[in-house]
Structure formats: C-alpha cells, structure tokens
Amino acid sequence: MPLKIVPRISVIIVTFNRARYIREAIDSALNQTYSNYEVIVVDDGSTDETSVILDKYGTKIKRLYQENRGAPVARNLALRHAEGEFICFLDSDDVWLPEKLEIQVEFMIKNPEFAFSSCSTYVINDDGEIIKEWRKAPARKTSFESLYEGNFIWNLTTMFRKTCLERTGMIDESLIGSSDYDFWLRMAKKFPFGYLDKCLTKYRIHPYSQISRDYRKRAANHLRIINKKEIAGDMSVFKRRIRAAKVFAELAVYCCNDGLYRMAGEYYFKAAKV
C-alpha cells in the first residue's frame, strides 16, 4: 500500500520588537497537532530582547534577519526561503490553537480549487483573555466581489498554495499596514477561495502597535489598492467611487472610536463628497 503523501506547510512569522509576545506566538506554531511543517521567523531589525528569545529555539525554527524595512519586505524574504506547498502567516503578537494547521490543510486538500482559505478568530486582550469572536457574516459570499466591498480576512487565519504566487506575484512592499488586503484581493481576483467557520486562532489587540492607527496613510493605501489596474481595472468608475466612500466612512468610525473627532469629520465629509 503506497504511503500517503502529507503536504508540507511553511509557517511565516515576522517580528519587530515583540519580545513581550513572540515566545507565545512561536510556541503556538510549534505545538501543532499537524507535524509536517517548518517555522520561518524573520526578525525585522528588532532592538529589544527578541534575538535572545529566538536563540533559545535553535534548529526548531528557520531564522532570518533583515534591517528594519517593514513587514511586507520581511514576508517576501520568508516566501523566497519557504519550502512548503502551503503557506501560513502568523503575526508575532497573535496565537494559533493547536489544531489550526491540521484542520485547515485538510480543508484545502478537500477543496483543490481554492487558492487560499481563512477562518474565524477569537479576539484576545493584552493578557491573552478572549474578549469576543470575529466571524464572517454568513450571508457574505467568499468571492472577489465581496472581498472588494470590505476586507473580512485576517492574516493569522489564512493558508494559501505557494504555486499561486506565479500568477498573483509577491506582496506589495510599498503598502506598509495594508499589504495583506492587497495580497488577498489580487489572489481572489484570479482564484476561488474558501472560508472555515471555526475559530482556530487568537488575534491580539494591544496598545503597542500603531500601524493600523496611521489613518491618513491607511486611507491613501486603501485608495491605491481599490483602484489598482490588476484589481479594479475592469470595474466601473461608479463602483470604485462607492468603494472609496466606504473607505472614508470606515476610517471616520475608527477616528471617532479613538476620540479623533476633527479627523473623523474630515473623513465623513470626504465620504459624502466622493
């Protein structure tokens, strides 16, 4: 009886000054019930105790280093070294449940038409306590059109086939803070994808990361993404304008939540003016 071939998975973790969390993230990747995988950790020029922590893992991880150039550049570096048939991203302040890889790779094998898949996630606070769940609305279809209308994919929940990079290209290194949305949109434009309605990950909300709160850069990046030729080149101007209005309206809500009422007013005005 022939041996069953078990696909190899490459787990990519990019970190920058996350000594407080990196051990928990790596341990959650190493303690998976699935066995055939590698863990690639890219230190993006950390200046804290990250290197000391990484030293202790020895050959359990494939370790890479670069001067601080941002997560998109670091992920591309890891992708060039990845040997897996499937690729997963795990941010260094997030956590996986032990069965994440096993359940998701089985899902991908059963659905060979999917280029990638995502799942639901728990949301945890700085102390690791679960505070809520994030699930994709059941009515939302897993299609390019629905993803274009609004991002519902979280990086830590994904798994994709490495062969898809031949058609979609690598991560856009100029989109600091928004490159993930661009990456999944470009892949969804060319391939179908799937969704697992199971919480297999834990997304951490904490006060130490400010990337997503640089709202002006976020607005500029999202406008670039939704108007890219390879993403929206065949869409009507009207549809792109509706999406732009939604970008401004969403940012206005985030600004209100952070008490930035003047900036929120600016974005509400832009949303109405588009």
Side-chain angles (χ1 to χ4, degrees), residues 11-174:
V11 177
I12 293 175
I13 302 175
V14 170
T15 188
F16 173 67
N17 288 347
R18 288 289 179 266
R20 178 183 175 95
Y21 310 109
I22 184 64
R23 186 181 291 105
E24 187 177 2
I26 293 176
D27 288 348
S28 76
L30 291 175
N31 294 327
Q32 291 290 300
T33 56
Y34 190 83
S35 59
N36 191 19
Y37 64 98
E38 63 177 352
V39 177
I40 304 172
V41 181
V42 185
D43 183 357
D44 185 30
S46 296
T47 57
D48 59 3
E49 297 298 312
T50 294
S51 62
V52 177
I53 295 172
L54 296 183
D55 285 341
K56 297 178 180 179
Y57 287 96
T59 58
K60 291 181 179 179
I61 63 174
K62 182 186 290 186
R63 186 173 170 184
L64 303 173
Y65 177 87
Q66 68 174 26
E67 296 296 329
N68 182 238
R69 297 179 62 194
V73 179
R75 289 195 182 108
N76 278 340
L77 174 63
L79 285 173
R80 289 191 288 271
H81 285 80
E83 298 177 357
E85 176 184 348
F86 295 97
I87 310 288
C88 295
F89 294 131
L90 172 61
D91 287 345
S92 58
D93 47 3
D94 295 331
V95 182
W96 282 348
L97 297 185
E99 64 274 19
K100 195 266 188 188
L101 293 183
E102 182 178 4
I103 292 175
Q104 197 163 23
V105 77
E106 182 180 358
F107 180 71
M108 293 294 288
I109 292 171
K110 288 181 177 179
N111 297 278
E113 73 278 15
F114 292 157
F116 69 96
S117 64
S118 64
C119 64
S120 304
T121 186
Y122 293 112
V123 181
I124 60 176
N125 61 19
D126 193 39
D127 296 322
E129 300 168 330
I130 295 175
I131 54 178
K132 58 182 173 180
E133 296 180 11
W134 278 345
R135 294 181 180 273
K136 182 178 68 64
R140 188 192 293 273
K141 297 180 180 179
T142 48
S143 65
F144 168 78
E145 289 74 18
S146 61
L147 187 59
Y148 184 82
E149 292 173 3
N151 189 16
F152 51 83
I153 295 174
W154 303 282
N155 252 9
L156 77 159
T157 72
T158 58
M159 176 181 288
F160 69 94
R161 301 179 195 275
K162 189 181 180 183
T163 53
C164 294
L165 293 176
E166 297 174 4
R167 290 185 59 190
T168 62
M170 302 287 273
I171 294 168
D172 188 336
E173 297 178 356
S174 69

Side-chain angles (χ1 to χ4, degrees), residues 112 132 184 190 229-231:
K132 58 182 173 180
W184 303 123
K190 295 182 179 296
K229 184 177 180 179
E230 62 266 42
I231 291 174

Side-chain angles (χ1 to χ4, degrees), residues 216 255 259-267:
R216 297 193 189 282
C255 289
L260 303 173
Y261 301 116
R262 183 172 181 177
M263 187 180 293
E266 291 179 22
Y267 285 129

Side-chain angles (χ1 to χ4, degrees), residues 159-219:
M159 176 181 288
F160 69 94
R161 301 179 195 275
K162 189 181 180 183
T163 53
C164 294
L165 293 176
E166 297 174 4
R167 290 185 59 190
T168 62
M170 302 287 273
I171 294 168
D172 188 336
E173 297 178 356
S174 69
L175 293 169
I176 301 296
S178 305
S179 62
D180 55 337
Y181 184 38
D182 172 77
F183 185 66
W184 303 123
L185 268 176
R186 285 189 284 117
M187 195 170 289
K189 183 76 172 181
K190 295 182 179 296
F191 304 100
F193 62 98
Y195 173 73
L196 266 166
D197 192 17
K198 295 182 180 180
C199 288
L200 303 175
T201 62
K202 296 179 180 180
Y203 175 82
R204 191 187 305 270
I205 294 178
H206 59 82
Y208 303 103
S209 177
Q210 298 299 322
I211 292 177
S212 62
R213 289 178 177 164
D214 188 343
Y215 295 122
R216 297 193 189 282
K217 180 181 289 186
R218 184 171 175 174

